[in-house]
């Protein structure tokens, strides 16, 4: 039966010769050579060739007890060392005299009978060796052929690596070959748009690309052409790579995937060679899709000077630009790329004719998170009381990768408890473990537990009484991660815009722990370190980025952050783009906002002191309270 075209008849010659077997054979050959060298070249003393007359004289003097005869050659050892004047070929100096113990000599033919009689008379033991030993010939052959065989085997191994592309750099001659992974309907489980959820806007932007790959005549007959390149921009974990594979799965075309960092090696020119090889493979399999992940690692803006790795990165980028200019969209090749740092990309990559279309892949909203949870729980047995919409509601800001991890952690917790299905509480516990960290056994004294209870109660009370604050879902004095206690607040719905009142209320709530300690104990501890850091960063952003300071007004005093790398309102750490006088005003305004929030937090906690004491006592008894428990203990309903 003849092999099919798609499946070869068998592996190439030598393909089963693994690296482990290769090193085993190398070890065996090295050991054999070492044994041979030891046998032939490591003796106690190298024999000295002496004249036959000297040998006969020493036999007559009784200085020889045994000899070994091999043809006309005689070898042995003198009982007493013999002084022998070296011949010209053996001299280092003109007066060199050798002290000989081990010797070898040649017997003249005419003296054979005389020597035999002399040896017999002196009772010298004679050992006769055969003229040619088969074993000795084999060992000698191995001695000379062994190193040559080792070299041949080593170069043959390098040749096999260069042919198969195996190893770290793909072999010597194959070092410039593309290392892209190919996926298609025959070699891998295809991914379709049914496996992608929560990013419908980005998905809709790519539908026509799939349609073009399926039916290009539909567009080309009107003079239209598909974009050469599509740049997917989004935060880590939002599904950019999954979306790219779904396009290939829907279109049914080969999909070549490669990380941008895989283009670069220590040898100059390898990156450009791999780019050429990647596009060559895509042309041969057209229509096809090329996907370059994390393109910002090689697509950064080119500088005036480039040395070392920067020069290699620029050469690789130049080759990508050249290849994208060198093919027509009618060939059916589309280049997809993904990045979470679009602000650092070279402008030449983003011009029309290269990456014509840029698609933002945002974090999913509540409805999108529910859809993603449905995808990831297909193979997970869920309890009938599980409501995925409720889980989606308490996970704002989670990406698709975060939600996948949440489902896995919930399944692990349920398995640990030996349940038959994953329950709602497993998802809640898994969420706390991911966000707050795992519980850690820490033995705390009663006084420390009481202080922590008041600290967390201060956060919880202010989270409930401050208008517009995020609702408090759980408060606990069980140590988690680096925290001794946790107050967990999450908004009921996604927020895309933050009013000034909300931000000020947020700072008031953050400072509630420190203020509760001041009211109850009259002193301060180090437990508010993280709270102070968050409040300061938030207040500084209000002043420098969002124009919420009456003294400074609407002035940009800090560059905008990359929205695809940050979540919430982290601070900016960079060079000051303003004068020292303005810096002093910024510090004064930040201090003013924090002071006002501190005073408001003290006022509210003193107003609700009975609720603060009641909640702290309940925490000491139960350690963890949910929202319903907090409302029942304090009598304060959500604002």
């Amino acid at each position: 039966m003849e092999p099919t075209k798609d499946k070869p008849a068998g592996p190439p010659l030598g393909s089963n010769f693994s690296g482990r077997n290769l090193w085993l054979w190398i070890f065996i050959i090295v050991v054999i050579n070492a044994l041979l060298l030891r046998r032939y070249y490591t003796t106690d003393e190298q024999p000295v060739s002496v004249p036959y007359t000297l040998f006969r004289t020493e036999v007559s003097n009784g200085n020889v007890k045994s000899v070994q005869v091999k043809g006309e050659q005689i070898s042995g050892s003198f009982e007493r060392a013999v002084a022998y004047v070296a011949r010209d070929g053996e001299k280092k100096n003109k007066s060199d005299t050798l002290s000989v113990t081990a010797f070898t000599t040649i017997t003249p033919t005419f003296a054979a009978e005389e020597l035999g009689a002399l040896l017999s008379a002196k009772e010298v033991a004679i050992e006769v060796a055969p003229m040619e030993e088969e074993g000795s010939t084999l060992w000698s052959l191995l001695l000379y052929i062994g190193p040559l065989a080792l070299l041949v085997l080593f170069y043959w191994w390098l040749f096999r690596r260069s042919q198969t592309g195996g190893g770290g750099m793909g072999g010597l001659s194959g070092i410039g070959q593309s290392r892209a992974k190919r996926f298609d309907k025959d070699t891998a489980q295809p991914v379709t748009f049914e496996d992608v959820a929560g990013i419908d806007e980005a998905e809709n932007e790519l539908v026509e690309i799939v349609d073009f790959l399926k039916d290009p005549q539909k567009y080309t007959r009107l003079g239209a052409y598909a974009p050469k390149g599509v740049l997917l921009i989004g935060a880590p974990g939002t599904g950019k790579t999954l979306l790219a594979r779904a396009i290939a799965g829907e279109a049914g075309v080969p999909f070549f995937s490669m990380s941008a960092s895989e283009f670069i090696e220590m040898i100059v020119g390898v990156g450009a060679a791999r780019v050429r090889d990647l596009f060559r493979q895509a042309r041969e399999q057209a229509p096809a899709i090329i996907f370059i992940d994390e393109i910002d690692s090689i697509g950064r803006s080119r500088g005036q000077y480039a040395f070392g790795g920067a020069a290699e990165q620029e050469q690789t980028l130049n080759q990508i630009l050249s290849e994208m200019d060198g093919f027509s969209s009618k060939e059916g090749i589309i280049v997809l790329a993904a990045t979470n740092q679009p602000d650092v990309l070279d402008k030449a990559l983003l011009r029309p004719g290269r990456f014509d279309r840029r698609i933002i892949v945002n974090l999913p909203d509540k409805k999108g998170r529910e859809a993603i949870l449905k995808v990831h729980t297909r193979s997970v047995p869920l309890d009938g009381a599980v409501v995925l919409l409720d889980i989606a509601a308490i996970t704002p800001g989670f990406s698709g990768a975060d939600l996948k991890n949440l489902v896995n952690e919930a399944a692990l917790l349920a398995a640990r408890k030996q349940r038959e299905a994953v329950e709602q509480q497993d998802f809640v516990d898994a969420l706390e473990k991911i966000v707050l960290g795992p519980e850690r056994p820490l033995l705390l004294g009663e006084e420390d537990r009481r202080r922590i209870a008041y600290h967390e109660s201060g956060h919880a009370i202010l989270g409930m009484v401050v208008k517009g604050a995020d609702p408090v879902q759980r408060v606990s004095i069980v140590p988690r991660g680096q925290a001794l206690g946790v107050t967990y607040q999450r908004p009921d719905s996604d927020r895309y815009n933050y009013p000034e009142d909300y931000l000020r209320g947020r700072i008031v709530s953050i400072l509630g722990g420190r203020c509760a300690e001041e009211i109850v104990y009259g002193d301060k501890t180090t437990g508010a370190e993280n709270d102070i850091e968050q409040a300061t960063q938030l207040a500084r952003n209000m002043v420098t980025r969002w124009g919420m300071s009456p003294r400074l007004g609407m002035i940009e005093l800090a560059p905008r952050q990359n929205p695809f790398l940050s979540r919430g309102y982290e601070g900016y750490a960079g060079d000051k783009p303003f004068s020292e006088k303005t810096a002093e005003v910024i510090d004064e305004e930040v201090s003013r906002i924090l002071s006002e929030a501190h005073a408001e937090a003290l006022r509210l906690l003193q107003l609700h002191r009975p609720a603060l004491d009641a909640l702290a006592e309940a925490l000491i008894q139960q350690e963890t309270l949910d929202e319903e428990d907090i409302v029942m203990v304090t009598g304060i309903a959500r604002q």
Side-chain angles (χ1 to χ4, degrees), residues 462-477:
L462 293 182
M464 299 180 68
V465 301
V466 174
K467 185 177 180 180
D470 295 331
V472 179
Q473 296 183 348
R474 179 172 289 195
V475 60
S476 173
I477 59 172

Side-chain angles (χ1 to χ4, degrees), residues 30-156:
V30 169
V31 170
I32 291 175
N33 277 274
L35 293 175
L36 290 172
L37 292 174
R38 180 177 181 182
R39 172 172 178 175
Y40 280 90
Y41 295 108
T42 57
T43 57
D44 296 336
E45 183 180 353
Q46 294 296 327
V48 177
S49 178
V50 298
Y52 170 76
T53 54
L54 176 62
F55 164 68
R56 189 182 60 182
T57 300
E58 294 302 320
V59 171
S60 301
N61 295 335
N63 197 24
V64 179
K65 296 300 183 181
S66 64
V67 293
Q68 184 180 24
V69 180
K70 184 177 180 181
E72 297 179 350
Q73 182 179 358
I74 299 177
S75 58
S77 298
F78 297 126
E79 291 295 311
R80 300 178 302 279
V82 175
Y84 166 60
V85 179
R87 294 172 297 188
D88 293 341
E90 300 171 344
K91 287 183 179 180
K92 296 180 180 177
N93 299 309
K94 291 184 177 180
S95 60
D96 276 355
T97 300
L98 301 179
S99 179
V100 180
T101 301
F103 68 90
T104 180
T105 188
I106 301 297
T107 306
T109 304
F110 62 85
E113 295 182 2
E114 176 190 359
L115 178 61
L118 178 62
L119 293 175
S120 298
K122 296 297 182 180
E123 299 182 350
V124 176
I126 302 174
E127 178 184 354
V128 180
M131 288 295 295
E132 194 68 40
E133 295 184 10
E134 182 179 354
S136 177
T137 304
L138 178 60
W139 281 102
S140 300
L141 185 63
L142 288 176
L143 175 66
Y144 290 106
I145 294 180
L148 179 61
L150 184 64
L151 287 175
V152 171
L153 185 63
F154 177 70
Y155 282 109
W156 177 80

Side-chain angles (χ1 to χ4, degrees), residues 333-389:
I333 299 175
I334 294 178
V335 182
L336 299 180
T339 182
N340 51 30
Q341 300 186 66
D343 49 320
V344 304
L345 294 180
D346 195 280
K347 293 181 179 179
L349 267 177
L350 304 178
R351 75 159 176 81
R354 298 255 172 74
F355 285 98
D356 303 294
R357 184 171 297 183
R358 292 183 283 279
I359 298 176
I360 307 298
V361 185
N362 291 308
L363 291 170
D365 56 12
K366 181 178 177 180
K367 183 179 178 181
R369 292 193 296 275
E370 182 188 13
I372 293 173
L373 287 171
K374 289 180 179 179
V375 171
H376 292 310
T377 55
R378 288 174 180 172
S379 59
V380 177
L382 299 179
D383 184 78
V386 172
V387 181
L388 295 180
L389 183 61

Side-chain angles (χ1 to χ4, degrees), residues 436-592:
L436 308 177
E439 295 183 7
R440 58 185 178 126
L442 189 62
L443 186 60
L444 297 173
E446 185 63 27
E447 185 60 28
D448 286 334
R449 293 181 72 249
R450 181 170 294 274
R451 183 181 284 269
I452 294 170
Y454 270 105
H455 183 103
E456 298 305 327
S457 296
H459 287 306
I461 294 296
L462 293 182
M464 299 180 68
V465 301
V466 174
K467 185 177 180 180
D470 295 331
V472 179
Q473 296 183 348
R474 179 172 289 195
V475 60
S476 173
I477 59 172
V478 177
R480 286 180 174 272
Q482 298 297 319
L484 299 177
V486 174
T487 301
Y488 186 58
Q489 293 178 258
R490 281 284 182 177
D492 288 331
S493 59
D494 299 321
R495 289 183 179 271
Y496 302 100
N497 201 14
Y498 301 94
E500 183 177 357
D501 290 343
Y502 169 81
L503 297 175
R504 289 182 178 274
R506 175 69 177 152
I507 297 176
V508 171
S509 177
I510 290 174
L511 297 179
R514 164 60 67 85
C515 293
E517 293 185 46
E518 293 178 4
I519 292 174
V520 177
Y521 295 96
D523 61 358
K524 307 176 181 66
T525 65
T526 60
E529 178 182 1
N530 187 52
D531 298 336
I532 295 173
E533 180 183 356
Q534 291 184 44
T536 303
Q537 293 289 357
L538 182 52
R540 188 169 296 276
N541 283 339
M542 292 174 62
V543 174
T544 60
R545 294 179 56 200
W546 302 324
M548 296 181 180
S549 167
R551 291 182 61 185
L552 292 170
M554 295 181 293
I555 302 177
E556 182 190 24
L557 299 171
R560 183 179 180 182
Q561 293 175 313
N562 184 350
F564 305 109
L565 292 180
S566 62
R567 297 179 185 175
Y569 15 75
E570 291 85 350
Y572 168 75
D575 297 332
K576 292 190 252 185
F578 40 76
S579 66
E580 290 298 327
K581 183 178 180 180
T582 303
E584 293 178 3
V585 177
I586 292 174
D587 292 339
E588 292 172 2
E589 287 295 283
V590 171
S591 178
R592 177 185 61 81

Side-chain angles (χ1 to χ4, degrees), residues 301-314:
S301 298
R302 291 164 290 185
Q304 184 177 2
Y305 303 101
F307 301 97
E312 173 66 1
Q313 175 254 322
E314 289 196 4

Side-chain angles (χ1 to χ4, degrees), residues 206 230-234 240-241 243-244 291 336-340 359 361:
L206 296 169
V230 178
L231 183 64
L232 303 176
I233 303 171
K240 299 184 293 296
T241 304
L243 191 59
F291 178 64
L336 299 180
T339 182
N340 51 30
I359 298 176
V361 185

